[in-house]
PDB file of all heavy atoms in Angstrom:
ATOM      1  N   LEU A  42      -2.107 -11.201   2.080  1.00  0.00           N
ATOM      2  CA  LEU A  42      -3.124 -12.237   2.158  1.00  0.00           C
ATOM      3  C   LEU A  42      -2.877 -13.246   1.042  1.00  0.00           C
ATOM      4  O   LEU A  42      -2.825 -12.872  -0.134  1.00  0.00           O
ATOM      5  CB  LEU A  42      -4.513 -11.611   2.009  1.00  0.00           C
ATOM      6  CG  LEU A  42      -5.700 -12.515   2.177  1.00  0.00           C
ATOM      7  CD1 LEU A  42      -5.710 -13.159   3.564  1.00  0.00           C
ATOM      8  CD2 LEU A  42      -6.972 -11.727   1.972  1.00  0.00           C
ATOM      9  N   GLU A  45      -4.792 -18.827  -0.981  1.00  0.00           N
ATOM     10  CA  GLU A  45      -5.352 -20.000  -0.297  1.00  0.00           C
ATOM     11  C   GLU A  45      -6.202 -19.581   0.893  1.00  0.00           C
ATOM     12  O   GLU A  45      -7.268 -20.143   1.138  1.00  0.00           O
ATOM     13  CB  GLU A  45      -4.237 -20.935   0.163  1.00  0.00           C
ATOM     14  CG  GLU A  45      -3.546 -21.640  -0.970  1.00  0.00           C
ATOM     15  CD  GLU A  45      -2.433 -22.555  -0.475  1.00  0.00           C
ATOM     16  OE1 GLU A  45      -2.372 -22.821   0.740  1.00  0.00           O
ATOM     17  OE2 GLU A  45      -1.642 -22.994  -1.307  1.00  0.00           O
ATOM     18  N   ASP A  46      -5.728 -18.591   1.652  1.00  0.00           N
ATOM     19  CA  ASP A  46      -6.490 -18.107   2.799  1.00  0.00           C
ATOM     20  C   ASP A  46      -7.802 -17.477   2.359  1.00  0.00           C
ATOM     21  O   ASP A  46      -8.829 -17.633   3.008  1.00  0.00           O
ATOM     22  CB  ASP A  46      -5.686 -17.083   3.597  1.00  0.00           C
ATOM     23  CG  ASP A  46      -4.461 -17.700   4.254  1.00  0.00           C
ATOM     24  OD1 ASP A  46      -4.458 -18.929   4.443  1.00  0.00           O
ATOM     25  OD2 ASP A  46      -3.522 -16.955   4.555  1.00  0.00           O
ATOM     26  N   LEU A  47      -7.763 -16.772   1.260  1.00  0.00           N
ATOM     27  CA  LEU A  47      -8.957 -16.112   0.753  1.00  0.00           C
ATOM     28  C   LEU A  47      -9.975 -17.128   0.236  1.00  0.00           C
ATOM     29  O   LEU A  47     -11.170 -17.012   0.507  1.00  0.00           O
ATOM     30  CB  LEU A  47      -8.570 -15.146  -0.371  1.00  0.00           C
ATOM     31  CG  LEU A  47      -9.682 -14.317  -0.983  1.00  0.00           C
ATOM     32  CD1 LEU A  47     -10.292 -13.395   0.059  1.00  0.00           C
ATOM     33  CD2 LEU A  47      -9.147 -13.512  -2.143  1.00  0.00           C
ATOM     34  N   ALA A  48      -9.502 -18.151  -0.469  1.00  0.00           N
ATOM     35  CA  ALA A  48     -10.389 -19.129  -1.089  1.00  0.00           C
ATOM     36  C   ALA A  48     -10.940 -20.153  -0.105  1.00  0.00           C
ATOM     37  O   ALA A  48     -11.987 -20.750  -0.351  1.00  0.00           O
ATOM     38  CB  ALA A  48      -9.650 -19.851  -2.212  1.00  0.00           C
ATOM     39  N   SER A  49     -10.292 -20.341   1.035  1.00  0.00           N
ATOM     40  CA  SER A  49     -10.713 -21.411   1.943  1.00  0.00           C
ATOM     41  C   SER A  49     -11.895 -21.031   2.835  1.00  0.00           C
ATOM     42  O   SER A  49     -12.455 -21.895   3.483  1.00  0.00           O
ATOM     43  CB  SER A  49      -9.534 -21.854   2.804  1.00  0.00           C
ATOM     44  OG  SER A  49      -9.122 -20.787   3.620  1.00  0.00           O
ATOM     45  N   GLY A  50     -12.264 -19.782   2.897  1.00  0.00           N
ATOM     46  CA  GLY A  50     -13.462 -19.420   3.648  1.00  0.00           C
ATOM     47  C   GLY A  50     -13.238 -18.316   4.663  1.00  0.00           C
ATOM     48  O   GLY A  50     -12.131 -17.825   4.853  1.00  0.00           O
ATOM     49  N   ASP A  51     -14.312 -17.928   5.312  1.00  0.00           N
ATOM     50  CA  ASP A  51     -14.288 -16.800   6.242  1.00  0.00           C
ATOM     51  C   ASP A  51     -13.401 -17.031   7.452  1.00  0.00           C
ATOM     52  O   ASP A  51     -12.752 -16.106   7.931  1.00  0.00           O
ATOM     53  CB  ASP A  51     -15.704 -16.483   6.723  1.00  0.00           C
ATOM     54  CG  ASP A  51     -16.565 -15.920   5.613  1.00  0.00           C
ATOM     55  OD1 ASP A  51     -16.002 -15.416   4.626  1.00  0.00           O
ATOM     56  OD2 ASP A  51     -17.793 -15.974   5.754  1.00  0.00           O
ATOM     57  N   ALA A  52     -13.383 -18.235   8.005  1.00  0.00           N
ATOM     58  CA  ALA A  52     -12.592 -18.498   9.211  1.00  0.00           C
ATOM     59  C   ALA A  52     -11.104 -18.291   8.940  1.00  0.00           C
ATOM     60  O   ALA A  52     -10.402 -17.643   9.716  1.00  0.00           O
ATOM     61  CB  ALA A  52     -12.843 -19.910   9.711  1.00  0.00           C
ATOM     62  N   ALA A  53     -10.631 -18.827   7.838  1.00  0.00           N
ATOM     63  CA  ALA A  53      -9.220 -18.679   7.498  1.00  0.00           C
ATOM     64  C   ALA A  53      -8.893 -17.220   7.160  1.00  0.00           C
ATOM     65  O   ALA A  53      -7.840 -16.714   7.515  1.00  0.00           O
ATOM     66  CB  ALA A  53      -8.861 -19.582   6.322  1.00  0.00           C
ATOM     67  N   LEU A  54      -9.818 -16.539   6.502  1.00  0.00           N
ATOM     68  CA  LEU A  54      -9.609 -15.143   6.153  1.00  0.00           C
ATOM     69  C   LEU A  54      -9.505 -14.287   7.406  1.00  0.00           C
ATOM     70  O   LEU A  54      -8.605 -13.465   7.532  1.00  0.00           O
ATOM     71  CB  LEU A  54     -10.755 -14.649   5.265  1.00  0.00           C
ATOM     72  CG  LEU A  54     -10.729 -13.198   4.839  1.00  0.00           C
ATOM     73  CD1 LEU A  54      -9.472 -12.904   4.040  1.00  0.00           C
ATOM     74  CD2 LEU A  54     -11.958 -12.877   4.024  1.00  0.00           C
ATOM     75  N   ALA A  55     -10.406 -14.493   8.346  1.00  0.00           N
ATOM     76  CA  ALA A  55     -10.370 -13.726   9.598  1.00  0.00           C
ATOM     77  C   ALA A  55      -9.082 -13.997  10.365  1.00  0.00           C
ATOM     78  O   ALA A  55      -8.470 -13.075  10.915  1.00  0.00           O
ATOM     79  CB  ALA A  55     -11.577 -14.074  10.454  1.00  0.00           C
ATOM     80  N   THR A  56      -8.635 -15.231  10.392  1.00  0.00           N
ATOM     81  CA  THR A  56      -7.399 -15.586  11.084  1.00  0.00           C
ATOM     82  C   THR A  56      -6.199 -14.896  10.440  1.00  0.00           C
ATOM     83  O   THR A  56      -5.346 -14.336  11.131  1.00  0.00           O
ATOM     84  CB  THR A  56      -7.188 -17.115  11.057  1.00  0.00           C
ATOM     85  OG1 THR A  56      -8.320 -17.730  11.647  1.00  0.00           O
ATOM     86  CG2 THR A  56      -5.942 -17.512  11.803  1.00  0.00           C
ATOM     87  N   ALA A  57      -6.145 -14.917   9.129  1.00  0.00           N
ATOM     88  CA  ALA A  57      -5.020 -14.287   8.415  1.00  0.00           C
ATOM     89  C   ALA A  57      -5.015 -12.774   8.624  1.00  0.00           C
ATOM     90  O   ALA A  57      -3.965 -12.178   8.857  1.00  0.00           O
ATOM     91  CB  ALA A  57      -5.102 -14.619   6.926  1.00  0.00           C
ATOM     92  N   LEU A  58      -6.180 -12.149   8.572  1.00  0.00           N
ATOM     93  CA  LEU A  58      -6.239 -10.701   8.771  1.00  0.00           C
ATOM     94  C   LEU A  58      -5.875 -10.314  10.194  1.00  0.00           C
ATOM     95  O   LEU A  58      -5.146  -9.357  10.421  1.00  0.00           O
ATOM     96  CB  LEU A  58      -7.635 -10.177   8.431  1.00  0.00           C
ATOM     97  CG  LEU A  58      -7.955 -10.088   6.945  1.00  0.00           C
ATOM     98  CD1 LEU A  58      -9.410  -9.700   6.744  1.00  0.00           C
ATOM     99  CD2 LEU A  58      -7.056  -9.104   6.253  1.00  0.00           C
ATOM    100  N   ASN A  59      -6.368 -11.061  11.169  1.00  0.00           N
ATOM    101  CA  ASN A  59      -6.035 -10.770  12.562  1.00  0.00           C
ATOM    102  C   ASN A  59      -4.543 -10.923  12.818  1.00  0.00           C
ATOM    103  O   ASN A  59      -3.956 -10.147  13.561  1.00  0.00           O
ATOM    104  CB  ASN A  59      -6.833 -11.664  13.513  1.00  0.00           C
ATOM    105  CG  ASN A  59      -8.286 -11.257  13.576  1.00  0.00           C
ATOM    106  OD1 ASN A  59      -8.622 -10.108  13.324  1.00  0.00           O
ATOM    107  ND2 ASN A  59      -9.156 -12.195  13.896  1.00  0.00           N
TER     108      ASN A  59
END
Side-chain angles (χ1 to χ4, degrees):
L42 185 59
E45 290 180 13
D46 294 338
L47 183 63
S49 64
D51 291 339
L54 178 60
T56 303
L58 285 174
N59 287 335

